[in-house]
Amino acid sequence: MIQQVNLYQDSLKQSKTRPVIVYYIYGLTALFSLLISFSFFLNSNIKNTKADIISIKHKLRNAKTHVQLLQVQYPRQQINKLLTQKITQSQEMRTSLANIISLLTDKESDQTQGFSRYFSAFSRQNIPELWLNNIIINTQEKSLHLFGSTYYPEKVPMLLQKLHREPIFQGKIFIKLLMNKAEKSDKQIDFVISTTLKIPDI
Protein backbone atom coordinates (compact mmCIF):
# COMPACT_ATOMS: atom_id res chain seq x y z
CA MET A 1 0.00 0.00 0.00
CA ILE A 2 1.36 3.38 -1.04
CA GLN A 3 0.24 6.73 0.50
CA GLN A 4 1.23 10.03 -0.98
CA VAL A 5 1.49 13.21 1.05
CA ASN A 6 1.57 16.55 -0.77
CA LEU A 7 3.79 18.83 1.31
CA TYR A 8 3.16 21.80 -1.00
CA GLN A 9 -0.64 21.73 -0.90
CA ASP A 10 -1.09 25.11 0.91
CA SER A 11 1.21 26.94 -1.41
CA LEU A 12 -0.61 25.62 -4.46
CA LYS A 13 -4.08 26.87 -3.32
CA GLN A 14 -5.17 30.46 -4.00
CA SER A 15 -5.19 32.71 -0.95
CA LYS A 16 -8.71 33.50 0.27
CA THR A 17 -7.68 36.62 2.36
CA ARG A 18 -9.17 39.94 1.22
CA PRO A 19 -6.92 42.75 0.10
CA VAL A 20 -6.32 45.64 2.59
CA ILE A 21 -7.84 48.16 0.17
CA VAL A 22 -11.27 46.63 0.76
CA TYR A 23 -11.15 47.67 4.41
CA TYR A 24 -10.18 51.22 3.42
CA ILE A 25 -13.16 51.34 1.09
CA TYR A 26 -15.48 50.17 3.89
CA GLY A 27 -14.06 52.82 6.26
CA LEU A 28 -14.38 55.61 3.72
CA THR A 29 -17.96 54.55 2.94
CA ALA A 30 -18.92 54.63 6.65
CA LEU A 31 -17.25 58.02 7.14
CA PHE A 32 -18.99 59.43 4.09
CA SER A 33 -22.36 58.16 5.37
CA LEU A 34 -21.67 59.75 8.76
CA LEU A 35 -20.78 63.08 7.14
CA ILE A 36 -23.94 63.02 5.05
CA SER A 37 -26.08 62.31 8.15
CA PHE A 38 -24.39 65.12 10.09
CA SER A 39 -24.90 67.51 7.17
CA PHE A 40 -28.62 66.72 7.13
CA PHE A 41 -28.76 67.32 10.89
CA LEU A 42 -27.01 70.70 10.60
CA ASN A 43 -29.21 71.71 7.70
CA SER A 44 -32.31 70.89 9.74
CA ASN A 45 -31.04 72.94 12.69
CA ILE A 46 -30.25 75.90 10.45
CA LYS A 47 -33.76 75.81 8.99
CA ASN A 48 -35.30 75.70 12.48
CA THR A 49 -33.09 78.58 13.63
CA LYS A 50 -34.06 80.70 10.63
CA ALA A 51 -37.72 79.98 11.32
CA ASP A 52 -37.27 81.06 14.97
CA ILE A 53 -35.53 84.27 13.89
CA ILE A 54 -38.35 85.10 11.47
CA SER A 55 -40.91 84.45 14.22
CA ILE A 56 -39.04 86.65 16.72
CA LYS A 57 -38.70 89.47 14.18
CA HIS A 58 -42.43 89.25 13.53
CA LYS A 59 -43.20 89.46 17.25
CA LEU A 60 -40.81 92.42 17.64
CA ARG A 61 -42.47 94.24 14.76
CA ASN A 62 -45.89 93.66 16.32
CA ALA A 63 -44.63 94.90 19.70
CA LYS A 64 -43.21 98.10 18.15
CA THR A 65 -46.51 98.71 16.40
CA HIS A 66 -48.38 98.22 19.67
CA VAL A 67 -46.07 100.66 21.49
CA GLN A 68 -46.57 103.28 18.77
CA LEU A 69 -50.34 102.91 19.07
CA LEU A 70 -50.13 103.34 22.84
CA GLN A 71 -47.98 106.46 22.43
CA VAL A 72 -50.60 107.92 20.11
CA GLN A 73 -53.47 107.04 22.44
CA TYR A 74 -51.71 108.16 25.63
CA PRO A 75 -49.33 111.03 24.84
CA ARG A 76 -46.82 112.11 27.48
CA GLN A 77 -48.33 114.64 29.87
CA GLN A 78 -46.53 117.94 30.26
CA ILE A 79 -45.60 118.91 33.83
CA ASN A 80 -47.69 121.81 35.04
CA LYS A 81 -45.20 124.19 36.69
CA LEU A 82 -47.97 126.27 38.22
CA LEU A 83 -49.42 123.19 39.88
CA THR A 84 -45.98 122.28 41.24
CA GLN A 85 -45.62 125.76 42.74
CA LYS A 86 -49.07 125.51 44.32
CA ILE A 87 -48.18 122.15 45.88
CA THR A 88 -44.90 123.57 47.26
CA GLN A 89 -46.70 126.59 48.71
CA SER A 90 -49.32 124.36 50.30
CA GLN A 91 -46.64 122.18 51.89
CA GLU A 92 -44.83 125.24 53.26
CA MET A 93 -48.11 126.62 54.61
CA ARG A 94 -48.87 123.32 56.28
CA THR A 95 -45.42 123.23 57.89
CA SER A 96 -45.83 126.79 59.18
CA LEU A 97 -49.26 126.01 60.64
CA ALA A 98 -47.89 122.87 62.29
CA ASN A 99 -45.09 124.93 63.88
CA ILE A 100 -47.57 127.54 65.12
CA ILE A 101 -49.84 124.88 66.62
CA SER A 102 -46.82 123.24 68.25
CA LEU A 103 -45.80 126.55 69.84
CA LEU A 104 -49.31 127.33 71.03
CA THR A 105 -49.72 123.96 72.70
CA ASP A 106 -46.17 123.78 74.13
CA LYS A 107 -46.16 124.56 77.83
CA GLU A 108 -42.45 123.90 78.34
CA SER A 109 -40.76 125.89 75.58
CA ASP A 110 -39.03 129.16 76.43
CA GLN A 111 -40.54 130.71 73.31
CA THR A 112 -44.06 130.35 74.70
CA GLN A 113 -43.47 130.54 78.47
CA GLY A 114 -40.99 133.44 78.48
CA PHE A 115 -38.02 133.99 80.80
CA SER A 116 -39.75 134.79 84.07
CA ARG A 117 -39.17 131.25 85.33
CA TYR A 118 -35.43 131.70 84.86
CA PHE A 119 -35.32 134.98 86.76
CA SER A 120 -37.40 133.53 89.55
CA ALA A 121 -34.91 130.68 89.87
CA PHE A 122 -31.95 133.09 89.84
CA SER A 123 -33.56 135.25 92.53
CA ARG A 124 -33.64 132.26 94.87
CA GLN A 125 -29.88 131.74 94.64
CA ASN A 126 -28.53 133.61 97.65
CA ILE A 127 -24.77 133.02 97.67
CA PRO A 128 -22.65 135.67 99.41
CA GLU A 129 -19.69 137.13 97.49
CA LEU A 130 -21.03 135.74 94.17
CA TRP A 131 -23.14 137.65 91.69
CA LEU A 132 -24.25 137.45 88.07
CA ASN A 133 -23.38 140.29 85.71
CA ASN A 134 -25.04 139.10 82.51
CA ILE A 135 -27.44 136.37 81.40
CA ILE A 136 -27.92 135.36 77.75
CA ILE A 137 -30.79 132.99 76.87
CA ASN A 138 -31.14 131.93 73.23
CA THR A 139 -34.48 130.18 72.66
CA GLN A 140 -33.73 129.19 69.08
CA GLU A 141 -30.43 127.51 69.91
CA LYS A 142 -31.74 126.46 73.34
CA SER A 143 -28.55 127.77 74.92
CA LEU A 144 -27.88 129.50 78.24
CA HIS A 145 -24.83 131.58 79.21
CA LEU A 146 -24.17 133.01 82.68
CA PHE A 147 -21.54 135.69 83.25
CA GLY A 148 -20.63 136.47 86.85
CA SER A 149 -17.96 137.37 89.39
CA THR A 150 -16.88 136.21 92.83
CA TYR A 151 -14.13 136.52 95.39
CA TYR A 152 -14.28 132.83 96.21
CA PRO A 153 -13.95 130.45 93.20
CA GLU A 154 -15.16 127.48 95.28
CA LYS A 155 -18.62 129.05 95.35
CA VAL A 156 -19.14 128.60 91.60
CA PRO A 157 -19.85 124.84 91.99
CA MET A 158 -22.31 125.74 94.78
CA LEU A 159 -24.21 127.92 92.28
CA LEU A 160 -24.39 125.07 89.78
CA GLN A 161 -25.69 122.65 92.43
CA LYS A 162 -28.43 125.03 93.48
CA LEU A 163 -29.44 125.77 89.89
CA HIS A 164 -29.83 122.07 89.11
CA ARG A 165 -32.35 121.79 91.96
CA GLU A 166 -34.62 124.29 90.17
CA PRO A 167 -37.30 122.74 87.85
CA ILE A 168 -36.50 125.14 85.02
CA PHE A 169 -32.92 123.82 84.86
CA GLN A 170 -33.90 120.15 84.76
CA GLY A 171 -32.39 118.58 81.62
CA LYS A 172 -30.01 121.49 80.99
CA ILE A 173 -26.32 120.61 81.14
CA PHE A 174 -23.55 123.18 81.55
CA ILE A 175 -20.60 121.91 79.54
CA LYS A 176 -18.18 124.85 79.71
CA LEU A 177 -16.74 126.85 82.63
CA LEU A 178 -14.19 129.63 82.27
CA MET A 179 -12.60 131.44 85.21
CA ASN A 180 -10.19 134.37 84.92
CA LYS A 181 -8.80 137.03 87.23
CA ALA A 182 -10.61 140.33 86.93
CA GLU A 183 -8.68 143.20 85.38
CA LYS A 184 -9.76 145.71 88.05
CA SER A 185 -9.07 143.55 91.10
CA ASP A 186 -6.61 140.73 91.68
CA LYS A 187 -8.87 139.11 94.26
CA GLN A 188 -11.96 139.09 92.04
CA ILE A 189 -12.59 136.14 89.69
CA ASP A 190 -14.78 136.53 86.59
CA PHE A 191 -16.46 133.33 85.39
CA VAL A 192 -18.60 132.15 82.50
CA ILE A 193 -20.90 129.12 82.65
CA SER A 194 -22.36 127.93 79.33
CA THR A 195 -24.47 125.08 77.96
CA THR A 196 -22.55 125.27 74.67
CA LEU A 197 -18.86 125.30 73.75
CA LYS A 198 -19.22 128.59 71.89
CA ILE A 199 -19.58 131.57 74.20
CA PRO A 200 -21.07 134.78 72.74
CA ASP A 201 -19.28 138.10 73.06
CA ILE A 202 -20.76 140.69 75.42
Side-chain angles (χ1 to χ4, degrees):
M1 179 178 174
I2 298 172
Q3 184 178 1
Q4 292 182 354
V5 178
N6 189 359
L7 298 176
Y8 302 98
Q9 184 178 2
D10 292 335
S11 61
L12 295 176
K13 291 182 180 179
Q14 292 183 353
S15 177
K16 295 183 179 180
T17 57
R18 297 180 180 179
V20 179
I21 192 169
V22 175
Y23 294 104
Y24 284 112
I25 293 173
Y26 287 158
L28 290 175
T29 303
L31 180 61
F32 185 70
S33 300
L34 183 62
L35 290 175
I36 292 176
S37 300
F38 187 67
S39 298
F40 280 117
F41 175 74
L42 289 179
N43 190 26
S44 177
N45 282 343
I46 291 172
K47 289 182 179 179
N48 293 334
T49 304
K50 287 182 178 179
D52 292 339
I53 292 173
I54 293 172
S55 176
I56 292 172
K57 286 183 178 179
H58 183 68
K59 290 179 180 179
L60 180 61
R61 187 166 50 251
N62 291 338
K64 288 182 178 179
T65 304
H66 184 64
V67 170
Q68 291 174 355
L69 290 175
L70 290 177
Q71 289 177 345
V72 172
Q73 292 178 359
Y74 306 100
R76 180 178 295 179
Q77 298 293 330
Q78 297 294 329
I79 298 176
N80 191 337
K81 295 183 179 180
L82 182 61
L83 179 60
T84 304
Q85 293 177 355
K86 288 288 184 182
I87 293 174
T88 304
Q89 291 176 357
S90 299
Q91 291 176 344
E92 292 176 352
M93 181 72 68
R94 180 182 177 183
T95 303
S96 299
L97 291 174
N99 291 335
I100 292 172
I101 293 172
S102 177
L103 288 174
L104 292 175
T105 57
D106 187 5
K107 296 182 180 180
E108 300 295 331
S109 174
D110 296 334
Q111 293 180 339
T112 59
Q113 301 303 312
F115 306 116
S116 60
R117 298 175 298 170
Y118 285 99
F119 295 117
S120 297
F122 288 134
S123 66
R124 290 189 288 271
Q125 313 310 314
N126 185 14
I127 302 177
E129 288 88 19
L130 185 145
W131 61 94
L132 295 177
N133 302 320
N134 202 340
I135 300 171
I136 299 177
I137 303 173
N138 191 326
T139 57
Q140 293 182 350
E141 296 180 359
K142 297 181 180 181
S143 61
L144 178 63
H145 313 277
L146 306 178
F147 298 82
S149 300
T150 183
Y151 291 106
Y152 302 95
E154 65 272 11
K155 292 191 176 184
V156 176
M158 293 174 56
L159 174 63
L160 290 175
Q161 290 177 358
K162 288 189 174 184
L163 288 178
H164 279 298
R165 295 192 189 103
E166 297 289 339
I168 187 62
F169 288 98
Q170 296 297 321
K172 290 181 171 57
I173 301 175
F174 293 98
I175 63 174
K176 192 166 187 178
L177 171 63
L178 295 178
M179 301 180 72
N180 297 310
K181 286 185 178 182
E183 296 179 357
K184 297 180 180 179
S185 175
D186 292 339
K187 295 182 180 181
Q188 180 178 321
I189 300 296
D190 294 335
F191 64 87
V192 182
I193 305 172
S194 175
T195 58
T196 61
L197 295 175
K198 185 179 180 181
I199 298 176
D201 298 328
I202 57 173

